[in-house]
Amino acid sequence: MKQTNNNTSHFSRLRRTRMNATLRSMVRETELSKNDFIYPLFVVPGTKFKKPVSSMPGVFQMSVDEIVRECVDVKSLGIPAVILFGIPEHKDEVGSGAYDENGIVQRAVKAIKKEVPELCIITDVCLCEYTSHGHCGIVRCDEIVNDDSIELLAKEALTHAQAGADMVAPSDMFDGRVKAIRQILDANGFQNLPIMSYAAKYASGFYGPFREAAESTPQFGDRRSHQMDPANSNEALREVQADIEEGADIVMVKPALPYLDIIRRVKDRFQMPTAAYNVSGEYSMVKAAAQLGWIDEQRVMLEMLTGIKRAGADMILTYFAKDAAKLL
Ligand code: PBG
């Protein structure tokens, strides 16, 4: 009688499908694509203006004309979407530049739409770049107030839609803002305009370089009274659920790398189109280590982006979009 061999290594050899590049590509479970990327852009007043953000090599503040040129480039690389952040000429207590129909983002949207109509333009909806104190809403007696702030965010979203934005993305983390935005959009004929909500956004140290790019560092205090505690996971599901109930079409987890578990839980639980924001600090760390010659930048970048996708993200907001698209 033939003896059974209990040493399973003779039957199962996981290395068999790793022996050459073709086999590896055939069993690959996660495929990163240009189509997954949303490229963040920072638009500032002026013309022919392009200023490097020192803490984010390869990222610039750009005037509208430069942004339009950049968008032509982004589209030709096969990246389907951009997200716009605006830095206004004047900041005030109530962030009026944010909901000015002739504001910086509104002007940029119109100009891009004219030149590159097929590019999906998402606008970040928040007040922090527009307020003199750098907070995401109105401040009264040292408190960042919720309900009056969401009225302003709704107005901001409407002016973005009227300018021609394809999608709005509220990033403030106040309660009820998705509903307020959905209502004002619907009441003004924008029933079909999707909302991508920054649904589980954490109070994170990884936003440091962004605040240089967007000139949005809070002048006092921090964002812990509205953004999430990094220690919480169940609460992220409640945040996401609330936004879905209020009408969010795409839900976002932010940052990405320290929160891959959250991306996975959100995807499994809700099965919604899920975005992850590979934020400024995640980008800058890679760029800095690469400049020091400590890591292989391209390899680490693709590994990070693949990891975010493997965790469950359908789309990735990333400053690496152009670099990665060139390699894919
Ligand atoms: C707020 C906003 C922030 C980011 C995107 N939208 C900063 C913040 O909450 O302080 C951070 C993005 C990044 O770090 O890349 N408008």
Side-chain angles (χ1 to χ4, degrees):
M1 207 169 86
K2 204 174 169 216
Q3 267 203 320
T4 45
N5 187 336
N6 286 326
N7 182 351
T8 53
S9 70
H10 287 258
F11 305 107
S12 171
R13 286 179 180 270
L14 289 165
R15 293 184 55 194
R16 284 186 199 115
T17 50
R18 292 177 201 149
M19 285 297 159
N20 63 54
T22 306
L23 285 170
R24 288 193 291 274
S25 79
M26 288 167 71
V27 298
R28 188 158 298 137
E29 299 174 35
T30 307
E31 205 79 59
L32 198 60
S33 144
K34 303 171 188 189
N35 218 33
D36 303 329
F37 300 144
I38 298 168
Y39 189 52
L41 292 170
F42 300 96
V43 57
V44 294
T47 47
K48 295 199 172 69
F49 182 89
K50 186 167 176 178
K51 180 180 164 202
V53 178
S54 62
S55 54
M56 301 177 73
V59 174
F60 300 84
Q61 292 181 331
M62 282 177 267
S63 51
V64 171
D65 51 325
E66 295 286 339
I67 286 276
V68 170
R69 282 233 296 269
E70 182 74 0
C71 285
V72 173
D73 197 29
V74 167
K75 179 71 194 150
S76 70
L77 283 169
I79 297 163
V82 294
I83 180 163
L84 293 184
F85 296 93
I87 296 108
E89 31 275 278
H90 305 292
K91 303 188 186 224
D92 60 28
E93 290 280 302
V94 290
S96 25
Y99 37 91
D100 175 350
E101 57 189 42
N102 201 26
I104 184 72
V105 163
Q106 292 81 351
R107 296 200 305 272
V109 170
K110 283 181 207 151
I112 301 167
K113 265 292 141 201
K114 219 158 120 194
E115 213 61 46
V116 209
E118 331 75 55
L119 185 70
C120 174
I121 307 178
I122 306 169
T123 54
D124 184 82
V125 176
C126 194
L127 297 188
C128 65
E129 300 98 334
Y130 304 90
T131 51
S132 43
H133 43 69
H135 281 295
C136 307
I138 303 169
V139 178
R140 264 187 224 122
C141 309
D142 283 347
E143 186 182 322
I144 304 162
V145 301
N146 195 91
D147 297 11
D148 290 342
S149 297
I150 66 177
E151 295 307 320
L152 298 182
L153 293 166
K155 268 172 69 177
E156 180 182 6
L158 179 60
T159 59
H160 291 173
Q162 287 164 337
D166 296 292
M167 194 183 303
V168 292
S171 67
D172 52 284
M173 284 298 278
F174 297 143
D175 292 317
R177 88 282 202 215
V178 173
K179 184 174 175 198
I181 291 172
R182 189 70 270 159
Q183 281 173 340
I184 201 170
L185 290 178
D186 289 1
N188 287 276
F190 293 103
Q191 296 88 343
N192 292 326
L193 195 96
I195 299 174
M196 170 194 281
S197 78
Y198 288 67
K201 176 175 176 182
Y202 288 84
S204 171
F206 287 89
Y207 307 151
F210 172 93
R211 291 179 188 170
E212 181 200 334
E215 300 177 14
S216 63
T217 308
Q219 300 303 301
F220 57 89
D222 56 41
R223 308 216 201 288
R224 284 175 232 246
S225 79
H226 49 294
Q227 298 181 349
M228 280 187 61
D229 182 339
N232 293 355
S233 169
N234 293 327
E235 188 190 358
L237 300 184
R238 297 206 298 278
E239 280 285 1
V240 172
Q241 174 146 21
D243 283 6
I244 294 169
E245 285 166 1
E246 291 177 28
D249 302 282
I250 299 172
V251 291
M252 189 201 300
V253 174
K254 178 184 173 193
L257 296 172
Y259 302 93
L260 295 176
D261 58 322
I262 308 298
I263 298 172
R264 171 51 59 197
R265 284 191 81 188
V266 165
K267 186 67 197 175
D268 284 350
R269 169 77 71 96
F270 301 106
Q271 304 189 353
M272 287 284 289
T274 304
Y277 201 140
N278 178 216
V279 300
S280 56
E282 298 172 323
Y283 174 84
S284 300
M285 288 194 306
V286 174
K287 289 283 176 184
Q291 282 182 0
L292 288 167
W294 290 352
I295 54 166
D296 175 339
E297 178 177 338
Q298 291 189 348
R299 187 171 173 187
V300 166
M301 167 184 75
L302 292 176
E303 185 174 336
M304 277 184 166
L305 295 170
T306 303
I308 295 167
K309 189 143 187 225
R310 191 196 62 239
D314 301 294
M315 54 201 103
I316 307 172
L317 297 90
T318 180
Y319 305 96
F320 285 122
K322 284 173 65 186
D323 293 349
K326 288 173 191 159
L327 297 173
L328 295 170

